[in-house]
Amino acid sequence: MWPGWNLATWHLLSGFVYGGISPPDLVSPPGSLYGTAFRYADKTRNNGAYTRSVDQAVCDPPRAVALYFEAASNGAAPPLDFTLYVPAGFGSLAGVKIPPNVEETDDPGRIFTARFAGGGREVW
């Protein structure tokens, strides 16, 4: 039996936004919306502290996003300055709320956009 459309859509969009539906340790930096925004924010506004490089073409350490999640969640480091807007219901992954960079919205003009540098100076 095939899953229902709601489950299939959720799986597809989770993969698009986070690179998979697995725990936050496995969020894919280069292959997802969240990962791309994270990597750009880290490299351009955080001197590559998590990705270990400011070069956008350099591969990141496999756990770069997981290290960021841990530091941002426990207050060891401030959150990176970006917000990714996702549809309602996609603000968490495997039951874990994504740190303060993800905001759920019903506004079709904001869904799947990212804002950097205080929310308005750079918009993707």
Side-chain angles (χ1 to χ4, degrees):
M1 290 184 57
W2 288 97
W5 281 112
N6 286 343
L7 180 61
T9 300
W10 185 86
H11 277 274
L12 177 68
L13 287 178
S14 290
F16 179 65
V17 174
Y18 299 113
I21 57 167
S22 37
D25 267 0
L26 301 176
V27 169
S28 174
S32 68
L33 287 177
Y34 182 87
T36 301
F38 157 79
R39 135 189 266 249
Y40 179 77
D42 184 57
K43 290 175 182 288
T44 62
R45 291 171 172 76
N46 196 37
N47 204 29
Y50 298 102
T51 57
R52 299 206 176 109
S53 170
V54 294
D55 185 347
Q56 293 288 336
V58 171
C59 289
D60 306 329
R63 294 202 69 243
V65 174
L67 293 173
Y68 169 63
F69 282 178
E70 184 178 317
S73 295
N74 69 20
L80 293 174
D81 188 12
F82 77 97
T83 303
L84 175 66
Y85 295 92
V86 298
F90 288 89
S92 60
L93 185 60
V96 177
K97 175 137 176 50
I98 302 303
N101 308 104
V102 174
E103 187 174 316
E104 293 183 1
T105 183
D106 290 327
D107 180 351
R110 284 199 168 189
I111 292 175
F112 301 132
T113 64
R115 295 178 185 267
F116 300 88
R121 293 193 307 234
E122 189 171 357
V123 179
W124 290 3

